């Protein structure tokens, strides 16, 4: 539906045309139309006579209409109607209005169509560039481009680099099952495919089988046997906007000739440009995430064998989001025969957080080996790192088991409380809110409690109990409820894997670090 240039004046002119045989005006009524009704009744015209009885009955139920004219009015419209007898003047006026505004209506329809195309393209771009996971990103891009071009099927072949620096090619399919291409090899850099894989530009052909470049390469000399029929062909390279590197290429086919237009080419190129930005972002994110994960893993220790204790540890980098790199644990054998258990979390993520974590871990190990009490270890580390973190900070729970005393002495710098389970007693949270984080606090009170044979100690980071969809308090309640199941498990590793799955539903968006210490008592000689 297209509006006239001055819809209020057009409406007045149409109303004045409602006259009886004697030339005198007759009474008229007005009924506003919804946008959907206006589109249906006017069909892009500025004015139209409404004669269909069913349409009139729906628009004006219970009214004996003798004549009705629909007039465009912006995005909506208005029906002018009468129940009296009139001559043919309203129809003549409606025809004249429509004829006088036909060119304008066509222009408005074209501009609206172009605006709709741009809106759809930008909407697709926003969805693509908001993603950081490459697999769904490329599938969404392929689906969107295949739909936008009206192709019978589309494919996106894209390049990735593995951890050894070697490039390899993957692909996605849209419009047909993946099995339709499963038995064909990856496309080679033939004369038809070269402009796309080399990044030279878009190729659009009304019938690719008649293209002079088609069928020149062995062993197929065209499409391999069993390939879906392709006549119309459109291929668009995907180029990195930062490096100019060819990231991949979109390929679209249709069995009928001349199905792809200049508009389809424009849409495909637009989606390819957004895909390139999204792939650049996703690849940079993946590289940093991998670097942070490997850096974190390289700094995590293997828990030493500790007489009288079974020590289970687990570090799980974030599987979603970008909060990887800041959590750590440590198990330190002390010269006096005691064992220090440390767990912490750098508030931040990525390589910077992993680097800070490594520095703090090294400082704690150094002070721990001096046999300083927990409060002094945390105080010295906090003083040392006071200006190290910038706007970030570090939480840390530090506990020392003294086997000769059967005790556990601990201090907490802003970290979550530990869980202590003595034989025959319910789980107890210890060390809650004792002090501020490292780099912020200066005093770190310590506490001592019994740690008898048969007792368990659990230290953990907040990725286990908190997420964007789960409140911290609720997560801690769930963890406490799951602790009894760990105490009776024959295989502690399997039991923890199950509990982590239950608590996070398999989609933890932050690192998880865990230490579970079980005091089994000294081994019999």
């Amino acid at each position: 539906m297209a509006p006239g240039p001055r819809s209020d004046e057009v409406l007045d002119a149409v109303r004045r045309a409602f006259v009886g045989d004697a030339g005198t005006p007759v009474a008229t009524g007005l009924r506003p139309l919804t946008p959907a009704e206006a589109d249906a009744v006017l069909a892009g015209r500025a004015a139209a006579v409404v004669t269909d009885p069913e349409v009139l009955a729906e628009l004006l139920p219970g009214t004996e209409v003798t004549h009705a004219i629909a007039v465009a009015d912006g995005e909506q419209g208005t029906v002018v109607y009468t129940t009296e007898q009139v001559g043919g003047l309203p129809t003549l006026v409606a025809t004249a209005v429509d004829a006088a505004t036909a060119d304008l209506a066509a222009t408005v329809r074209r501009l609206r169509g172009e605006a709709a195309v741009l809106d759809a393209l930008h909407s697709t771009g926003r969805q693509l560039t908001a993603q950081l996971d490459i697999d769904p990103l490329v599938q969404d891009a392929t689906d969107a481009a295949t739909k936008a071009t009206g192709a019978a099927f589309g494919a996106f072949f894209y390049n990735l680099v593995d951890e050894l620096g070697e490039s390899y090619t993957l692909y996605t399919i849209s419009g047909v099952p993946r099995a339709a291409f499963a038995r064909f090899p990856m496309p080679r850099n033939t004369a038809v495919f070269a402009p796309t894989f080399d990044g030279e530009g878009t190729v659009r052909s009304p019938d690719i089988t008649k293209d002079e470049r088609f069928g020149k390469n062995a062993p197929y000399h065209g499409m391999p046997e069993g390939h879906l029929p392709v006549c119309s062909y459109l291929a668009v390279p995907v180029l990195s906007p930062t490096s100019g590197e060819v990231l991949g290429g979109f390929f679209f086919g249709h069995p009928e000739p001349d199905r792809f237009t200049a508009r389809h080419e424009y849409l495909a190129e637009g989606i390819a440009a957004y895909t390139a930005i999204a792939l650049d972002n996703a690849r940079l994110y993946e590289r940093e995430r991998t670097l942070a994960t490997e850096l974190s893993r390289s700094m995590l220790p293997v828990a030493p064998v500790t007489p009288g204790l079974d020590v289970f540890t687990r570090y799980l980098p974030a599987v979603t989001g970008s909060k990887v790199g800041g959590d750590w644990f440590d198990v330190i054998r002390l010269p006096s025969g005691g064992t220090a258990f440390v767990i912490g979390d750098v508030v931040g993520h990525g390589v910077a957080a992993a680097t800070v974590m490594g520095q703090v871990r090294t400082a704690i190990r150094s002070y721990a080996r001096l046999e300083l009490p927990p409060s002094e270890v945390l105080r010295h580390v906090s003083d040392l790192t006071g200006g190290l973190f910038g706007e970030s900070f570090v939480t840390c729970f530090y506990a020392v088991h003294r086997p000769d005393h059967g005790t556990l002495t601990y201090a907490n710098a802003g970290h979550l409380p530990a869980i202590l389970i003595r034989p025959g007693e319910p789980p107890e949270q210890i060390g809650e809110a004792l002090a501020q984080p490292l780099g912020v606090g200066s005093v770190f009170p310590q506490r001592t409690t019994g740690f008898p044979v048969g007792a368990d100690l659990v230290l953990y980071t907040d990725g286990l109990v908190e997420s964007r969809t789960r409140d911290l308090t609720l997560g801690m309640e769930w963890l406490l409820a799951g602790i009894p199941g760990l105490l009776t498990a024959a295989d502690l590793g399997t039991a923890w894997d199950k509990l982590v799955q239950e608590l996070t539903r398999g989609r933890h968006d932050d690192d998880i670090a865990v230490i579970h210490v079980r005091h089994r008592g000294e081994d019999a000689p």
Side-chain angles (χ1 to χ4, degrees):
M1 191 272 292
R6 300 171 68 179
S7 56
D8 53 345
E9 295 183 4
V10 172
L11 183 62
D12 287 341
V14 171
R15 294 188 68 182
R16 288 195 298 271
F18 279 72
V19 294
D21 292 336
T24 57
V26 299
T28 57
L30 301 177
R31 196 277 199 183
L33 298 174
T34 66
E37 291 172 337
D39 282 338
V41 173
L42 286 159
R45 293 166 294 178
V49 180
V50 184
T51 58
D52 190 321
E54 293 184 0
V55 174
L56 288 171
E58 184 175 341
L59 295 176
L60 302 161
T63 304
E64 295 293 332
V65 177
T66 59
H67 211 95
I69 303 291
V71 180
D73 183 12
E75 291 297 324
Q76 298 180 319
T78 302
V79 169
V80 183
Y81 67 93
T82 185
T83 58
E84 301 181 31
Q85 295 299 317
V86 296
L89 186 57
T91 300
L92 293 175
V93 170
T95 301
V97 168
D98 186 48
T101 60
D103 290 342
L104 177 60
T107 300
V108 170
R109 286 195 299 272
R110 180 177 58 80
L111 292 176
R112 284 182 175 169
E114 294 296 335
V117 169
L118 289 175
D119 285 344
L121 181 57
H122 291 159
S123 176
T124 299
R126 286 192 297 270
Q127 294 173 11
L128 293 178
T129 53
Q131 297 192 59
L132 292 174
D133 193 337
I134 290 179
D135 289 340
L137 159 64
V138 294
Q139 186 62 61
D140 288 350
T142 309
D143 291 342
T146 302
K147 180 179 180 182
T149 59
F153 58 87
F156 179 38
F157 292 86
Y158 60 104
N159 302 317
L160 293 180
V161 178
D162 64 18
E163 62 274 11
L164 300 177
E166 298 179 355
S167 178
Y168 60 100
T169 302
L170 300 175
Y171 70 96
T172 53
I173 294 291
S174 184
V176 294
R178 191 177 179 88
F181 287 85
R183 62 190 183 90
F184 300 126
M186 289 290 182
R188 296 171 298 132
N189 207 23
T190 62
V192 170
F193 293 145
T196 308
F197 288 134
D198 292 343
E200 296 176 4
T202 298
V203 176
R204 175 164 59 97
S205 172
D207 188 345
I208 192 63
T209 63
K210 296 179 181 178
D211 190 289
E212 61 180 9
R213 295 166 292 187
F214 183 79
K216 303 297 184 183
N217 299 87
Y220 302 112
H221 295 288
M223 283 171 279
E225 184 179 353
H227 193 287
L228 293 173
V230 178
C231 189
S232 296
Y233 175 81
L234 175 63
V236 181
V238 176
L239 306 176
S240 166
T242 54
S243 67
E245 174 190 359
V246 180
L247 304 179
F250 283 109
F251 299 85
F252 308 101
H254 200 286
E256 299 176 5
D258 204 18
R259 292 298 297 263
F260 299 127
T261 66
R263 172 173 289 191
H264 293 139
E265 182 177 330
Y266 169 79
L267 288 171
E269 290 175 343
I271 293 175
Y274 280 121
T275 302
I277 295 171
L279 274 175
D280 261 0
N281 292 341
R283 297 204 309 177
L284 287 171
Y285 159 76
E286 189 63 28
R287 287 176 190 145
E288 178 173 347
R289 186 177 185 277
T290 299
L291 177 59
T293 300
E294 292 304 314
L295 183 59
S296 296
R297 287 189 185 277
S298 69
M299 296 179 183
L300 294 175
V302 175
V305 175
T306 307
L309 302 178
D310 291 328
V311 181
F312 168 84
T313 61
R314 180 75 88 229
Y315 170 73
L316 301 171
V319 297
T320 64
S322 57
K323 297 181 181 179
V324 62
D327 292 19
W328 90 96
F329 68 83
D330 210 346
V331 179
I332 309 166
R333 292 294 307 278
L334 303 177
S336 63
T339 306
F341 302 102
V342 190
I343 200 155
D345 185 4
V346 178
V347 177
H349 54 82
V351 175
T355 302
V356 170
M357 177 269 284
Q359 293 172 308
V360 173
R361 172 180 173 267
T362 300
I364 289 177
R365 288 184 68 88
S366 299
Y367 287 119
R369 295 284 297 175
L370 295 176
E371 297 276 6
L372 296 177
S375 60
E376 288 298 295
V377 169
L378 295 185
R379 183 178 68 80
H380 282 296
V381 174
S382 187
D383 289 344
L384 182 67
T385 58
L388 180 65
F389 310 137
E391 298 180 356
S392 184
F393 55 88
V394 178
T395 68
C396 179
F397 195 106
Y398 182 90
V400 175
H401 172 237
R402 301 287 181 185
D404 51 345
H405 298 146
T407 60
L408 192 73
T409 302
Y410 57 89
N412 185 7
H415 200 75
L416 295 174
I419 300 174
L420 178 62
I421 312 100
R422 297 184 182 89
E425 298 182 17
E428 175 190 357
Q429 296 188 82
I430 62 172
E432 186 172 11
L434 282 182
Q436 294 178 302
L438 300 176
V440 178
S442 57
V443 178
F444 302 91
Q446 67 182 38
R447 301 285 187 270
T448 299
T449 187
F451 192 55
V453 173
D456 288 72
L457 175 69
V458 175
L459 306 175
Y460 57 96
T461 56
D462 59 358
L464 180 65
V465 292
E466 185 179 29
S467 73
R468 290 190 295 264
T469 60
R470 184 178 67 253
D471 177 74
L472 174 62
T473 302
L474 179 60
M476 293 176 68
E477 290 177 359
W478 290 355
L479 174 59
L480 289 170
I483 289 294
L486 298 173
L487 305 182
T488 58
D491 184 341
L492 197 55
T494 300
W496 264 109
D497 290 342
K498 180 180 178 182
L499 182 57
V500 170
Q501 176 70 27
E502 291 174 351
L503 292 176
T504 66
R505 295 182 172 86
R507 299 290 292 173
H508 55 280
D509 52 16
D510 197 355
D511 290 353
I512 294 175
V514 172
I515 302 177
H516 187 150
V517 184
R518 177 166 292 170
H519 191 178
R520 70 171 186 276
E522 295 297 331
D523 296 328

